Amino acid sequence: MVLTTLAHHIDIDFLREAWYQTRKDGAPGVDGVTAEEYEAGLEGNLQLLLGRFHTGTYRAPPVRRTHIPKGDGKKTRPIGIPTLEDKVLQRAVKMVLEAVYEQDFLSCSYGFRPGRSAHQALQALRDGLMEVDGGWVLELDIQSFFDTLVHGHLRAFLDKRVRDGVIRRTIDKWLKAGVMEDGQLFHPDSGSPQGGVISPMLANIYLHEVLDLWFEQQVKPRMRGRTTIVRYADDVAMVFEREDDAQRVLAVLPKRFGKYGLTLHPEKTRLLDFRRPGNRPRDGGTVPPGTPRSFQMLGFTHYWTRSRRGFWVVKQKTDAKRFSRALRALNQWCRTVRHQPVWWQSEWLGLKLRGHFAYYGLTGNFDALDRFRRAVIRIWRKWLSRRSQNGYVNWDQMNLVLVHSPLPAARVVHSAYRK
């Protein structure tokens, strides 16, 4: 049913909870206000924010745009940085929308949802691949999704569930707030700034209508074989048991997305034969020769290999680009802090390694984790050797350093066998 009164749920306690859930270490927005400054008068600031929100006098400030490098290190991704107060209100509205839409969202969606994670998406993808012996994988790449999201379609989707005037006007203010970049203010006609707290929620609502419901209600019943879809925000992979089903879906996807103002990247959207080795005919079906037998999603490369018992299994290893990017970042960090005390460097390197293992520590990926740790040790030794002209550290000395300031061992954090 359509809900017309929701804003009254956002009271001072609700805003206070939103404040506690908001990250305090982020960069300031266009107003330059930091978390420490805002917290100094927290109760008064929240009361004023609540009053402006309910009376409709709240004005959404523009987001400050910055650019971060992509995985290839050549291109950049634009990121919007809202003001701290804007983050708090966006968090509160997001919490209300979650209570509504978590009843609607399908199980194939994993990104930016409470109680769901990228590791669950990876496990669901692996299970879907194993169920059909690999099958045919359709990778989708939506070109500049957050920049091309059509406001008119988003409003129509919201109309189906949320028509509270206060919340809807506030969302419209965020969509129209504009972007501040290099001192100039821009007002795009479409898109939601990537980096805002509310943006992933709006993106999930958009793709829930455009892709998830369409695939479950209209595509699946027409398929001749089994099929699975896994979506994490705008990263999508579809698994098909039959090639003809995959080709039919690939043919209609551009029209489906074009209807809602979205475009599939012509080079990154691809269909590949991922059938288990031994199940593939020599001609390879209709997939062009030379098509890779592996694919990437959520920072992992998915590929077939033999298990210890000799069976063919799908494994997931750290994507080579992510591996190299992480090492480049650690190399730069070691270079910057090389003159700090060794024990201090060891503690911080330990934290960075544990963070890496916490994400990439999947069953079957131990070799990549261990290679990463050994590469970090080599990088650390290199920069310890450059602390002074006579500061060369040989491997005997480095091993002694590791005895007194050890780094955590590689470990599988997310086991496929440990529930």
Side-chain angles (χ1 to χ4, degrees):
M1 60 182 294
V2 178
L3 301 174
T4 57
T5 55
L6 288 172
H8 64 280
H9 290 292
I10 300 180
D11 55 15
I12 190 63
D13 293 329
F14 206 90
L15 273 187
R16 196 179 294 113
E17 179 63 26
W19 161 261
Y20 290 136
Q21 293 190 23
T22 300
R23 285 185 58 182
K24 313 299 190 299
D25 57 349
V30 294
D31 60 358
V33 176
T34 63
E36 292 78 10
E37 295 170 345
Y38 196 84
E39 192 172 16
L42 180 61
E43 289 302 318
N45 289 331
L46 293 182
Q47 288 284 359
L48 289 173
L49 176 61
L50 182 65
R52 284 180 287 145
F53 168 67
H54 281 300
T55 58
T57 57
Y58 178 79
R59 297 186 63 182
V63 298
R64 181 169 66 86
R65 174 170 285 175
T66 186
H67 294 265
I68 62 173
K70 285 189 174 182
D72 55 10
K74 300 177 182 178
K75 298 181 180 179
T76 60
R77 175 183 288 108
I79 295 293
I81 304 175
T83 64
L84 182 66
E85 188 173 66
D86 214 25
K87 291 179 184 177
V88 174
L89 187 55
Q90 287 189 23
R91 176 75 62 182
V93 173
K94 175 179 178 289
M95 289 159 59
V96 170
L97 293 179
E98 276 181 353
V100 175
Y101 280 99
E102 278 302 309
Q103 304 173 70
D104 298 352
F105 288 158
L106 304 182
S107 60
C108 62
S109 168
Y110 292 88
F112 304 100
R113 292 181 58 188
R116 289 181 161 247
S117 67
H119 298 105
Q120 292 175 334
L122 290 165
Q123 186 62 45
L125 179 58
R126 183 182 182 277
D127 292 343
L129 292 167
M130 292 293 292
E131 184 181 349
V132 297
D133 279 345
W136 301 80
V137 176
L138 180 55
E139 291 182 85
L140 302 188
D141 187 281
I142 306 174
Q143 201 161 11
S144 302
F145 169 68
F146 283 91
D147 295 330
T148 56
L149 184 147
V150 180
H151 295 170
H153 292 309
L154 176 60
R155 294 187 184 102
F157 297 151
L158 286 167
D159 282 341
K160 296 181 179 181
R161 292 289 274 135
V162 177
R163 293 185 187 174
D164 179 279
V166 176
I167 288 181
R168 290 296 301 274
R169 282 192 295 271
T170 305
I171 292 175
D172 279 344
K173 290 176 183 179
W174 286 324
L175 295 176
K176 299 176 181 178
V179 175
M180 182 74 72
E181 185 174 6
D182 297 329
Q184 295 185 336
L185 181 62
F186 304 92
H187 290 278
D189 296 328
S190 60
S192 178
Q194 194 170 355
V197 178
I198 198 68
S199 293
M201 185 72 214
L202 299 180
N204 273 337
I205 294 172
Y206 204 91
L207 288 177
H208 170 73
E209 296 284 345
V210 173
L211 182 61
D212 299 353
L213 283 178
W214 172 74
F215 191 86
E216 291 292 334
Q217 297 177 359
Q218 299 186 40
V219 174
K220 269 192 174 181
R222 293 175 170 83
M223 297 291 99
R224 300 174 64 187
R226 290 170 292 181
T227 182
T228 304
I229 180 173
V230 175
R231 181 175 68 81
Y232 190 93
D234 59 334
D235 288 336
V236 186
M238 298 177 179
V239 180
F240 299 89
E241 185 177 17
R242 297 172 58 97
E243 183 191 7
D244 54 349
D245 288 340
Q247 294 286 3
R248 288 166 57 201
V249 174
L250 179 59
V252 301
L253 273 173
K255 299 176 183 177
R256 175 66 184 180
F257 279 92
K259 179 180 177 181
Y260 296 98
L262 303 177
T263 306
L264 292 177
H265 197 292
E267 297 176 359
K268 297 181 180 179
T269 298
R270 60 173 186 164
L271 176 64
L272 69 147
D273 181 356
F274 196 71
R275 286 173 292 175
R276 176 169 56 82
N279 283 7
R280 304 166 182 153
R282 291 187 177 181
D283 63 1
T286 59
V287 175
T291 301
R293 298 297 191 185
S294 63
F295 67 98
Q296 288 72 38
M297 185 176 182
L298 297 176
F300 288 87
T301 296
H302 306 258
Y303 66 104
W304 281 103
T305 188
R306 294 277 190 180
S307 68
R308 290 181 178 180
R309 298 174 61 187
F311 299 109
W312 284 107
V313 293
V314 175
K315 286 193 176 182
Q316 299 155 322
K317 65 180 179 181
T318 309
D319 179 28
K321 292 182 179 179
R322 295 287 188 96
F323 191 96
S324 300
R325 184 174 68 181
L327 286 181
R328 285 196 302 269
L330 275 168
N331 181 72
Q332 182 60 41
W333 183 86
C334 288
R335 176 185 179 183
T336 303
V337 304
R338 64 186 182 275
H339 294 296
Q340 295 290 341
V342 173
W343 65 266
W344 183 91
Q345 295 185 43
S346 172
E347 287 188 2
W348 278 99
L349 278 175
L351 290 174
K352 293 177 182 294
L353 280 173
R354 289 187 186 94
H356 184 87
F357 299 156
Y359 185 76
Y360 292 103
L362 296 185
T363 298
N365 196 34
F366 180 83
D367 289 345
L369 301 179
D370 193 52
R371 281 193 295 110
F372 185 83
R373 181 182 182 274
R374 287 187 274 112
V376 169
I377 291 174
R378 289 195 297 271
I379 291 171
W380 192 23
R381 171 180 168 267
K382 178 184 76 172
W383 289 110
L384 287 179
S385 297
R386 299 187 183 185
R387 285 156 68 94
S388 67
Q389 291 182 343
N390 300 320
Y392 177 75
V393 178
N394 59 39
W395 276 108
D396 290 336
Q397 294 170 318
M398 190 65 203
N399 289 331
L400 189 61
V401 168
L402 292 173
V403 169
H404 294 286
S405 301
L407 296 179
R411 61 183 291 259
V412 172
V413 179
H414 307 279
S415 172
Y417 310 106
R418 185 175 62 243
K419 302 299 182 182

